[in-house]
Short mmCIF file of all heavy atoms in Angstrom, two decimals:
data_model
loop_
_atom_site.label_atom_id
_atom_site.label_comp_id
_atom_site.label_asym_id
_atom_site.label_seq_id
_atom_site.Cartn_x
_atom_site.Cartn_y
_atom_site.Cartn_z
N ALA A 1 23.23 0.87 -54.86
CA ALA A 1 22.01 1.64 -54.60
C ALA A 1 21.25 1.92 -55.85
O ALA A 1 20.03 1.94 -55.97
CB ALA A 1 22.16 2.82 -53.70
N GLU A 2 22.01 2.50 -56.91
CA GLU A 2 21.34 2.92 -58.18
C GLU A 2 20.80 1.72 -58.87
O GLU A 2 19.76 1.86 -59.44
CB GLU A 2 22.34 3.63 -59.02
CG GLU A 2 21.77 4.19 -60.21
CD GLU A 2 22.80 5.10 -60.97
OE1 GLU A 2 23.67 5.77 -60.31
OE2 GLU A 2 22.64 5.09 -62.24
N ALA A 3 21.39 0.53 -58.73
CA ALA A 3 20.95 -0.60 -59.50
C ALA A 3 19.61 -1.07 -58.79
O ALA A 3 18.69 -1.46 -59.60
CB ALA A 3 21.99 -1.77 -59.55
N LEU A 4 19.53 -1.03 -57.55
CA LEU A 4 18.24 -1.31 -56.76
C LEU A 4 17.08 -0.45 -57.17
O LEU A 4 16.14 -0.89 -57.40
CB LEU A 4 18.69 -1.32 -55.21
CG LEU A 4 17.46 -1.69 -54.40
CD1 LEU A 4 16.86 -3.04 -54.63
CD2 LEU A 4 17.69 -1.54 -53.02
N GLN A 5 17.48 0.88 -57.20
CA GLN A 5 16.49 1.80 -57.59
C GLN A 5 15.92 1.52 -59.05
O GLN A 5 14.73 1.66 -59.31
CB GLN A 5 17.04 3.23 -57.63
CG GLN A 5 16.00 4.38 -57.88
CD GLN A 5 14.81 4.31 -56.78
OE1 GLN A 5 15.07 4.15 -55.68
NE2 GLN A 5 13.69 4.45 -57.38
N LYS A 6 16.78 1.21 -59.96
CA LYS A 6 16.32 0.76 -61.27
C LYS A 6 15.48 -0.41 -61.36
O LYS A 6 14.40 -0.47 -61.99
CB LYS A 6 17.64 0.58 -62.23
CG LYS A 6 18.32 1.88 -62.73
CD LYS A 6 19.51 1.50 -63.52
CE LYS A 6 20.22 2.70 -63.87
NZ LYS A 6 21.33 2.40 -64.82
N LEU A 7 15.80 -1.33 -60.40
CA LEU A 7 15.00 -2.56 -60.39
C LEU A 7 13.54 -2.26 -59.82
O LEU A 7 12.56 -2.66 -60.27
CB LEU A 7 15.57 -3.63 -59.53
CG LEU A 7 16.84 -4.40 -60.11
CD1 LEU A 7 17.54 -5.29 -59.11
CD2 LEU A 7 16.36 -5.16 -61.39
N LEU A 8 13.55 -1.43 -58.70
CA LEU A 8 12.26 -1.09 -58.06
C LEU A 8 11.42 -0.31 -59.13
O LEU A 8 10.23 -0.52 -59.25
CB LEU A 8 12.49 -0.31 -56.88
CG LEU A 8 13.10 -1.08 -55.73
CD1 LEU A 8 13.50 -0.05 -54.54
CD2 LEU A 8 12.18 -2.16 -55.26
N SER A 9 12.00 0.65 -59.83
CA SER A 9 11.43 1.41 -60.90
C SER A 9 10.79 0.55 -61.87
O SER A 9 9.68 0.75 -62.42
CB SER A 9 12.18 2.56 -61.42
OG SER A 9 12.51 3.47 -60.53
N ALA A 10 11.44 -0.42 -62.39
CA ALA A 10 11.09 -1.35 -63.48
C ALA A 10 9.95 -2.16 -62.91
O ALA A 10 8.99 -2.41 -63.74
CB ALA A 10 12.18 -2.18 -63.93
N GLU A 11 9.95 -2.64 -61.67
CA GLU A 11 8.93 -3.34 -61.13
C GLU A 11 7.60 -2.53 -61.05
O GLU A 11 6.56 -3.10 -61.21
CB GLU A 11 9.31 -3.85 -59.70
CG GLU A 11 8.33 -4.71 -59.06
CD GLU A 11 8.21 -6.15 -59.59
OE1 GLU A 11 9.20 -6.57 -60.25
OE2 GLU A 11 7.21 -6.69 -59.47
N LYS A 12 7.76 -1.28 -60.83
CA LYS A 12 6.49 -0.44 -60.80
C LYS A 12 6.03 0.03 -62.17
O LYS A 12 4.99 0.65 -62.30
CB LYS A 12 6.89 0.91 -59.91
CG LYS A 12 7.14 0.66 -58.51
CD LYS A 12 7.47 1.97 -57.83
CE LYS A 12 8.03 1.93 -56.50
NZ LYS A 12 8.44 3.19 -55.96
N GLY A 13 6.82 -0.31 -63.14
CA GLY A 13 6.54 0.12 -64.50
C GLY A 13 6.95 1.52 -64.87
O GLY A 13 6.46 2.14 -65.80
N GLU A 14 7.76 2.04 -64.04
CA GLU A 14 8.27 3.43 -64.21
C GLU A 14 9.39 3.46 -65.25
O GLU A 14 10.15 2.55 -65.34
CB GLU A 14 8.75 4.02 -62.83
CG GLU A 14 7.80 4.25 -61.93
CD GLU A 14 8.23 4.80 -60.56
OE1 GLU A 14 9.50 4.52 -60.27
OE2 GLU A 14 7.58 5.50 -59.80
N VAL A 15 9.58 4.61 -65.93
CA VAL A 15 10.65 4.82 -66.85
C VAL A 15 11.58 5.77 -66.07
O VAL A 15 11.17 6.80 -65.55
CB VAL A 15 10.08 5.56 -68.17
CG1 VAL A 15 11.32 5.95 -68.99
CG2 VAL A 15 9.20 4.67 -68.78
N ALA A 16 12.96 5.39 -66.07
CA ALA A 16 13.90 6.15 -65.34
C ALA A 16 14.25 7.41 -66.42
O ALA A 16 14.60 7.06 -67.49
CB ALA A 16 15.13 5.30 -65.17
N VAL A 17 14.15 8.65 -65.87
CA VAL A 17 14.44 9.72 -66.56
C VAL A 17 15.43 10.66 -65.95
O VAL A 17 15.34 10.96 -64.66
CB VAL A 17 13.09 10.60 -66.81
CG1 VAL A 17 13.54 11.89 -67.63
CG2 VAL A 17 12.03 9.68 -67.49
N GLU A 18 16.62 10.93 -66.64
CA GLU A 18 17.55 11.80 -66.05
C GLU A 18 17.32 13.33 -66.54
O GLU A 18 17.31 13.36 -67.86
CB GLU A 18 19.00 11.22 -66.45
CG GLU A 18 20.07 12.20 -65.94
CD GLU A 18 21.46 11.57 -66.30
OE1 GLU A 18 21.55 10.96 -67.35
OE2 GLU A 18 22.41 11.84 -65.53
N VAL A 19 17.28 14.19 -65.70
CA VAL A 19 17.00 15.58 -66.10
C VAL A 19 18.37 16.33 -65.62
O VAL A 19 18.71 16.36 -64.50
CB VAL A 19 15.72 16.14 -65.38
CG1 VAL A 19 15.70 17.64 -65.72
CG2 VAL A 19 14.50 15.34 -65.78
N ILE A 20 18.85 17.09 -66.58
CA ILE A 20 20.09 17.84 -66.32
C ILE A 20 19.70 19.34 -66.59
O ILE A 20 19.22 19.66 -67.67
CB ILE A 20 21.19 17.49 -67.21
CG1 ILE A 20 21.60 15.91 -67.03
CG2 ILE A 20 22.51 18.29 -66.93
CD1 ILE A 20 22.38 15.42 -68.11
N SER A 21 19.96 20.12 -65.55
CA SER A 21 19.60 21.63 -65.64
C SER A 21 20.76 22.41 -65.07
O SER A 21 21.61 21.95 -64.40
CB SER A 21 18.29 21.93 -64.98
OG SER A 21 18.43 21.55 -63.48
N ALA A 22 20.77 23.72 -65.35
CA ALA A 22 21.72 24.69 -64.84
C ALA A 22 21.60 24.84 -63.33
O ALA A 22 22.69 25.15 -62.68
CB ALA A 22 21.68 25.97 -65.55
N VAL A 23 20.43 24.81 -62.79
CA VAL A 23 20.20 25.01 -61.40
C VAL A 23 19.28 23.90 -60.97
O VAL A 23 18.55 23.30 -61.77
CB VAL A 23 19.50 26.36 -61.05
CG1 VAL A 23 20.53 27.44 -61.38
CG2 VAL A 23 18.28 26.65 -61.78
N ALA A 24 19.13 23.68 -59.64
CA ALA A 24 18.21 22.66 -59.04
C ALA A 24 16.77 23.03 -59.43
O ALA A 24 16.42 24.28 -59.30
CB ALA A 24 18.35 22.54 -57.61
N LEU A 25 15.91 22.11 -59.79
CA LEU A 25 14.52 22.35 -60.12
C LEU A 25 13.82 22.64 -58.81
O LEU A 25 14.08 21.94 -57.85
CB LEU A 25 13.95 21.16 -60.86
CG LEU A 25 14.55 20.83 -62.18
CD1 LEU A 25 13.88 19.62 -62.87
CD2 LEU A 25 14.56 22.08 -63.08
N THR A 26 12.75 23.39 -58.71
CA THR A 26 11.95 23.55 -57.72
C THR A 26 10.95 22.48 -57.62
O THR A 26 10.75 21.70 -58.65
CB THR A 26 11.10 24.87 -57.73
OG1 THR A 26 10.21 24.79 -58.89
CG2 THR A 26 12.03 26.13 -57.91
N GLY A 27 10.14 22.28 -56.50
CA GLY A 27 9.18 21.18 -56.45
C GLY A 27 8.09 21.39 -57.50
O GLY A 27 7.65 20.34 -58.12
N ALA A 28 7.79 22.64 -57.74
CA ALA A 28 6.58 22.82 -58.79
C ALA A 28 7.20 22.51 -60.04
O ALA A 28 6.38 21.93 -60.96
CB ALA A 28 6.18 24.28 -58.74
N HIS A 29 8.46 22.77 -60.48
CA HIS A 29 9.01 22.38 -61.80
C HIS A 29 9.10 20.93 -61.91
O HIS A 29 8.81 20.38 -63.01
CB HIS A 29 10.40 23.09 -61.93
CG HIS A 29 10.28 24.54 -62.19
ND1 HIS A 29 10.98 25.48 -61.53
CD2 HIS A 29 9.56 25.27 -63.11
CE1 HIS A 29 10.80 26.67 -61.97
NE2 HIS A 29 9.88 26.58 -62.93
N LYS A 30 9.58 20.22 -60.85
CA LYS A 30 9.61 18.90 -60.91
C LYS A 30 8.24 18.23 -61.15
O LYS A 30 8.20 17.24 -62.01
CB LYS A 30 10.22 18.18 -59.60
CG LYS A 30 11.74 18.36 -59.47
CD LYS A 30 12.05 17.75 -58.16
CE LYS A 30 13.37 18.44 -57.59
NZ LYS A 30 13.82 17.90 -56.25
N ALA A 31 7.33 18.56 -60.44
CA ALA A 31 5.88 18.12 -60.47
C ALA A 31 5.35 18.27 -62.01
O ALA A 31 4.80 17.40 -62.60
CB ALA A 31 4.92 18.66 -59.55
N ALA A 32 5.55 19.41 -62.66
CA ALA A 32 5.09 19.86 -63.93
C ALA A 32 5.76 18.90 -64.92
O ALA A 32 5.26 18.52 -65.82
CB ALA A 32 5.28 21.33 -64.28
N LEU A 33 7.12 18.91 -64.78
CA LEU A 33 7.90 18.03 -65.65
C LEU A 33 7.52 16.56 -65.61
O LEU A 33 7.42 15.83 -66.71
CB LEU A 33 9.44 18.11 -65.33
CG LEU A 33 10.37 17.48 -66.24
CD1 LEU A 33 10.21 18.02 -67.64
CD2 LEU A 33 11.82 17.85 -65.92
N GLU A 34 7.22 15.97 -64.45
CA GLU A 34 6.88 14.52 -64.17
C GLU A 34 5.51 14.32 -64.92
O GLU A 34 5.24 13.40 -65.58
CB GLU A 34 6.65 14.20 -62.82
CG GLU A 34 7.95 13.97 -62.05
CD GLU A 34 7.82 13.65 -60.58
OE1 GLU A 34 6.80 14.04 -60.02
OE2 GLU A 34 8.82 13.00 -60.06
N THR A 35 4.55 15.34 -64.85
CA THR A 35 3.25 15.19 -65.40
C THR A 35 3.46 15.21 -66.96
O THR A 35 2.84 14.42 -67.58
CB THR A 35 2.36 16.38 -65.02
OG1 THR A 35 2.26 16.29 -63.56
CG2 THR A 35 1.00 16.40 -65.65
N THR A 36 4.25 16.16 -67.52
CA THR A 36 4.29 16.33 -68.97
C THR A 36 5.09 15.13 -69.48
O THR A 36 4.52 14.50 -70.59
CB THR A 36 5.15 17.58 -69.21
OG1 THR A 36 4.56 18.63 -68.66
CG2 THR A 36 5.39 17.62 -70.77
N LEU A 37 6.00 14.57 -68.78
CA LEU A 37 6.83 13.28 -69.31
C LEU A 37 5.98 12.07 -69.21
O LEU A 37 5.91 11.24 -70.05
CB LEU A 37 8.06 13.17 -68.62
CG LEU A 37 9.21 14.13 -68.77
CD1 LEU A 37 10.37 14.11 -67.90
CD2 LEU A 37 9.69 14.03 -70.27
N LYS A 38 5.21 12.02 -68.15
CA LYS A 38 4.20 10.92 -68.11
C LYS A 38 3.20 10.87 -69.12
O LYS A 38 2.91 9.71 -69.80
CB LYS A 38 3.38 10.88 -66.71
CG LYS A 38 2.47 9.86 -66.45
CD LYS A 38 1.85 9.90 -65.13
CE LYS A 38 0.88 8.69 -64.90
NZ LYS A 38 0.24 8.82 -63.60
N LYS A 39 2.62 11.97 -69.56
CA LYS A 39 1.78 12.09 -70.78
C LYS A 39 2.45 11.74 -72.01
O LYS A 39 1.95 11.03 -72.87
CB LYS A 39 1.09 13.37 -70.72
CG LYS A 39 0.11 13.73 -69.79
CD LYS A 39 -0.48 15.14 -69.82
CE LYS A 39 -1.32 15.56 -68.73
NZ LYS A 39 -1.90 16.93 -68.73
N ALA A 40 3.62 12.32 -72.20
CA ALA A 40 4.43 12.05 -73.49
C ALA A 40 4.91 10.63 -73.51
O ALA A 40 4.77 10.06 -74.68
CB ALA A 40 5.61 13.03 -73.46
N ILE A 41 5.37 10.05 -72.52
CA ILE A 41 5.84 8.63 -72.53
C ILE A 41 4.85 7.59 -72.41
O ILE A 41 4.89 6.42 -72.97
CB ILE A 41 6.99 8.54 -71.54
CG1 ILE A 41 8.21 9.37 -71.72
CG2 ILE A 41 7.48 7.05 -71.46
CD1 ILE A 41 9.22 9.49 -70.64
N GLY A 42 3.71 7.87 -71.58
CA GLY A 42 2.66 7.06 -71.57
C GLY A 42 2.86 6.09 -70.21
O GLY A 42 2.16 5.04 -70.22
N LYS A 43 3.85 6.37 -69.54
CA LYS A 43 4.24 5.63 -68.35
C LYS A 43 4.57 6.48 -67.25
O LYS A 43 5.05 7.65 -67.53
CB LYS A 43 5.28 4.44 -68.54
CG LYS A 43 4.99 3.62 -69.53
CD LYS A 43 6.22 2.53 -69.69
CE LYS A 43 5.79 1.50 -70.79
NZ LYS A 43 6.80 0.48 -70.84
N PRO A 44 4.37 6.08 -65.96
CA PRO A 44 4.99 6.78 -64.80
C PRO A 44 6.46 6.93 -65.00
O PRO A 44 7.20 6.14 -65.66
CB PRO A 44 4.61 5.94 -63.59
CG PRO A 44 3.64 5.04 -63.99
CD PRO A 44 3.84 4.75 -65.52
N VAL A 45 7.05 8.22 -64.39
CA VAL A 45 8.41 8.33 -64.58
C VAL A 45 9.14 8.44 -63.27
O VAL A 45 8.44 8.82 -62.22
CB VAL A 45 8.70 9.57 -65.43
CG1 VAL A 45 8.29 9.56 -66.83
CG2 VAL A 45 8.17 10.93 -64.72
N ALA A 46 10.35 8.13 -63.16
CA ALA A 46 11.17 8.33 -61.94
C ALA A 46 12.31 9.31 -62.19
O ALA A 46 13.29 8.96 -63.06
CB ALA A 46 11.76 6.94 -61.47
N LEU A 47 12.23 10.45 -61.81
CA LEU A 47 13.15 11.54 -62.20
C LEU A 47 14.42 11.37 -61.38
O LEU A 47 14.42 11.27 -60.05
CB LEU A 47 12.63 12.90 -61.97
CG LEU A 47 11.50 13.41 -62.84
CD1 LEU A 47 11.26 14.89 -62.37
CD2 LEU A 47 11.92 13.34 -64.32
N LYS A 48 15.62 11.43 -62.16
CA LYS A 48 16.89 11.65 -61.42
C LYS A 48 17.45 12.99 -61.83
O LYS A 48 17.67 13.13 -63.09
CB LYS A 48 17.80 10.41 -61.80
CG LYS A 48 19.25 10.48 -61.14
CD LYS A 48 20.03 9.43 -61.59
CE LYS A 48 21.39 9.51 -60.92
NZ LYS A 48 22.30 8.54 -61.47
N GLU A 49 17.75 13.94 -60.93
CA GLU A 49 18.01 15.29 -61.30
C GLU A 49 19.57 15.41 -61.23
O GLU A 49 20.19 14.92 -60.14
CB GLU A 49 17.30 16.21 -60.25
CG GLU A 49 17.29 17.56 -60.72
CD GLU A 49 16.55 18.46 -59.66
OE1 GLU A 49 15.81 17.96 -58.78
OE2 GLU A 49 16.73 19.60 -59.76
N LYS A 50 20.20 16.11 -62.13
CA LYS A 50 21.62 16.58 -62.03
C LYS A 50 21.71 17.97 -62.31
O LYS A 50 20.95 18.52 -63.16
CB LYS A 50 22.32 15.73 -63.03
CG LYS A 50 22.69 14.27 -62.55
CD LYS A 50 23.61 13.67 -63.57
CE LYS A 50 23.86 12.21 -63.13
NZ LYS A 50 24.83 11.54 -64.04
N VAL A 51 22.64 18.66 -61.72
CA VAL A 51 22.86 20.08 -62.03
C VAL A 51 24.22 20.14 -62.72
O VAL A 51 25.22 19.54 -62.39
CB VAL A 51 22.93 20.87 -60.75
CG1 VAL A 51 23.31 22.30 -61.01
CG2 VAL A 51 21.52 20.89 -60.10
N ASN A 52 24.16 20.81 -63.90
CA ASN A 52 25.49 21.07 -64.66
C ASN A 52 25.44 22.59 -64.89
O ASN A 52 24.64 23.15 -65.78
CB ASN A 52 25.33 20.30 -66.15
CG ASN A 52 26.58 20.53 -66.86
OD1 ASN A 52 27.31 21.48 -66.59
ND2 ASN A 52 26.78 19.70 -67.88
N GLN A 53 26.36 23.29 -64.25
CA GLN A 53 26.49 24.69 -64.38
C GLN A 53 27.01 25.23 -65.64
O GLN A 53 26.97 26.38 -66.02
CB GLN A 53 27.23 25.29 -63.10
CG GLN A 53 26.57 25.04 -61.80
CD GLN A 53 27.30 25.53 -60.63
OE1 GLN A 53 28.45 25.72 -60.68
NE2 GLN A 53 26.65 25.50 -59.37
N GLN A 54 27.42 24.35 -66.46
CA GLN A 54 27.85 24.71 -67.81
C GLN A 54 26.80 25.00 -68.84
O GLN A 54 26.86 25.58 -69.78
CB GLN A 54 28.85 23.68 -68.32
CG GLN A 54 30.22 23.51 -67.70
CD GLN A 54 31.08 22.53 -68.15
OE1 GLN A 54 30.67 21.63 -68.95
NE2 GLN A 54 32.39 22.59 -67.90
N ILE A 55 25.59 24.47 -68.39
CA ILE A 55 24.35 24.81 -69.12
C ILE A 55 23.93 26.23 -68.79
O ILE A 55 23.81 26.42 -67.55
CB ILE A 55 23.24 23.84 -68.86
CG1 ILE A 55 23.64 22.35 -69.22
CG2 ILE A 55 21.85 24.19 -69.49
CD1 ILE A 55 22.71 21.35 -68.87
N LEU A 56 23.61 27.03 -69.75
CA LEU A 56 23.14 28.41 -69.36
C LEU A 56 21.69 28.47 -69.05
O LEU A 56 21.30 29.32 -68.19
CB LEU A 56 23.47 29.31 -70.60
CG LEU A 56 24.93 29.45 -71.09
CD1 LEU A 56 25.01 30.27 -72.29
CD2 LEU A 56 25.88 29.92 -69.93
N GLY A 57 20.94 27.55 -69.61
CA GLY A 57 19.55 27.60 -69.30
C GLY A 57 18.82 26.36 -69.99
O GLY A 57 19.45 25.68 -70.80
N GLY A 58 17.55 26.05 -69.73
CA GLY A 58 16.93 24.94 -70.32
C GLY A 58 17.18 23.70 -69.63
O GLY A 58 17.71 23.66 -68.53
N LEU A 59 16.89 22.57 -70.30
CA LEU A 59 17.02 21.24 -69.81
C LEU A 59 17.59 20.22 -70.75
O LEU A 59 17.41 20.44 -71.97
CB LEU A 59 15.64 20.72 -69.27
CG LEU A 59 14.84 21.43 -68.24
CD1 LEU A 59 13.50 20.77 -68.24
CD2 LEU A 59 15.57 21.18 -66.97
N GLN A 60 18.15 19.16 -70.30
CA GLN A 60 18.38 18.00 -71.15
C GLN A 60 17.68 16.84 -70.39
O GLN A 60 17.84 16.74 -69.15
CB GLN A 60 20.01 17.59 -71.11
CG GLN A 60 20.80 18.70 -71.86
CD GLN A 60 22.25 18.41 -71.95
OE1 GLN A 60 22.71 17.64 -71.05
NE2 GLN A 60 22.92 18.94 -72.80
N VAL A 61 16.90 16.09 -71.16
CA VAL A 61 16.10 15.03 -70.60
C VAL A 61 16.47 13.79 -71.30
O VAL A 61 16.44 13.62 -72.47
CB VAL A 61 14.56 15.24 -70.84
CG1 VAL A 61 13.78 14.27 -70.15
CG2 VAL A 61 14.22 16.59 -70.21
N LYS A 62 16.93 12.69 -70.49
CA LYS A 62 17.44 11.44 -71.03
C LYS A 62 16.54 10.33 -70.52
O LYS A 62 16.39 10.24 -69.36
CB LYS A 62 18.90 11.14 -70.69
CG LYS A 62 19.83 12.24 -71.20
CD LYS A 62 21.29 11.85 -70.68
CE LYS A 62 22.31 12.90 -71.09
NZ LYS A 62 23.68 12.57 -70.59
N PHE A 63 16.15 9.45 -71.52
CA PHE A 63 15.39 8.29 -70.94
C PHE A 63 15.58 7.16 -72.04
O PHE A 63 15.46 7.42 -73.20
CB PHE A 63 13.93 8.50 -70.72
CG PHE A 63 13.19 9.07 -71.79
CD1 PHE A 63 12.31 8.20 -72.71
CD2 PHE A 63 13.16 10.45 -72.02
CE1 PHE A 63 11.68 8.75 -73.74
CE2 PHE A 63 12.36 10.95 -73.14
CZ PHE A 63 11.61 10.09 -73.93
N GLY A 64 15.92 6.00 -71.74
CA GLY A 64 16.19 4.94 -72.69
C GLY A 64 17.27 5.35 -73.55
O GLY A 64 18.27 5.90 -73.08
N SER A 65 17.15 5.40 -74.84
CA SER A 65 18.12 5.76 -75.77
C SER A 65 17.78 7.20 -76.27
O SER A 65 18.42 7.66 -77.29
CB SER A 65 18.25 4.74 -76.98
OG SER A 65 17.06 4.67 -77.60
N GLU A 66 16.83 7.82 -75.66
CA GLU A 66 16.33 9.07 -76.23
C GLU A 66 17.04 10.28 -75.42
O GLU A 66 17.30 10.09 -74.21
CB GLU A 66 14.80 9.21 -76.02
CG GLU A 66 13.94 8.19 -76.72
CD GLU A 66 14.08 8.49 -78.28
OE1 GLU A 66 14.01 9.69 -78.66
OE2 GLU A 66 14.07 7.45 -78.93
N LEU A 67 17.27 11.34 -76.13
CA LEU A 67 17.80 12.55 -75.44
C LEU A 67 17.08 13.82 -76.08
O LEU A 67 16.96 13.93 -77.34
CB LEU A 67 19.31 12.70 -75.76
CG LEU A 67 19.93 14.12 -75.40
CD1 LEU A 67 19.84 14.37 -73.95
CD2 LEU A 67 21.30 14.30 -75.85
N ILE A 68 16.51 14.52 -75.14
CA ILE A 68 15.77 15.68 -75.67
C ILE A 68 16.58 16.86 -75.03
O ILE A 68 16.66 16.93 -73.85
CB ILE A 68 14.28 15.88 -74.93
CG1 ILE A 68 13.50 14.74 -75.53
CG2 ILE A 68 13.60 17.18 -75.37
CD1 ILE A 68 12.11 14.49 -74.84
N ASP A 69 17.33 17.61 -75.95
CA ASP A 69 18.26 18.70 -75.47
C ASP A 69 17.55 20.05 -75.77
O ASP A 69 17.56 20.46 -76.84
CB ASP A 69 19.43 18.59 -76.24
CG ASP A 69 20.58 19.41 -75.67
OD1 ASP A 69 20.22 20.43 -74.91
OD2 ASP A 69 21.71 19.34 -76.17
N ALA A 70 17.04 20.62 -74.76
CA ALA A 70 16.37 21.99 -74.80
C ALA A 70 17.21 22.87 -74.02
O ALA A 70 16.58 23.71 -73.33
CB ALA A 70 14.98 21.80 -74.42
N SER A 71 18.55 22.67 -74.05
CA SER A 71 19.33 23.64 -73.20
C SER A 71 20.09 24.60 -74.17
O SER A 71 20.08 24.50 -75.38
CB SER A 71 20.53 22.63 -72.52
OG SER A 71 21.32 22.16 -73.42
N VAL A 72 20.67 25.50 -73.45
CA VAL A 72 21.46 26.61 -74.25
C VAL A 72 22.84 26.53 -73.66
O VAL A 72 23.16 26.26 -72.48
CB VAL A 72 20.77 28.01 -73.90
CG1 VAL A 72 21.60 29.09 -74.55
CG2 VAL A 72 19.39 28.10 -74.21
#
């Protein structure tokens, strides 16, 4: 299923982005993050969200070979 999702995202020109946070993101946070990442990357994004309770706060954002670690 994950491989199919990657193919569909690639067909749409989307960049797969994995977001890891301490708690689940709200709809508003997801929308704001998608907008910000779309502007930064220059392409539509497909967010895949993960929760890691070992993170105290902030986010880790992974796409391609890039990692933006803004976590505590």
Side-chain angles (χ1 to χ4, degrees):
E2 189 172 324
L4 178 59
Q5 184 61 41
K6 285 182 182 181
L7 287 173
L8 291 173
S9 291
E11 185 69 27
K12 294 179 191 175
E14 294 177 331
V15 175
V17 178
E18 181 179 25
V19 178
I20 303 168
S21 59
V23 296
L25 299 176
T26 65
H29 285 128
K30 284 184 207 177
L33 188 57
E34 284 179 337
T35 300
T36 301
L37 289 170
K38 182 179 178 180
K39 287 179 185 176
I41 296 172
K43 294 183 178 181
V45 297
L47 289 184
K48 179 179 179 185
E49 195 180 349
K50 288 187 177 180
V51 173
N52 180 346
Q53 294 176 343
Q54 293 181 340
I55 295 175
L56 299 177
L59 300 169
Q60 292 178 341
V61 180
K62 298 178 184 180
F63 58 96
S65 62
E66 299 290 323
L67 169 66
I68 300 170
D69 190 351
S71 64
V72 180

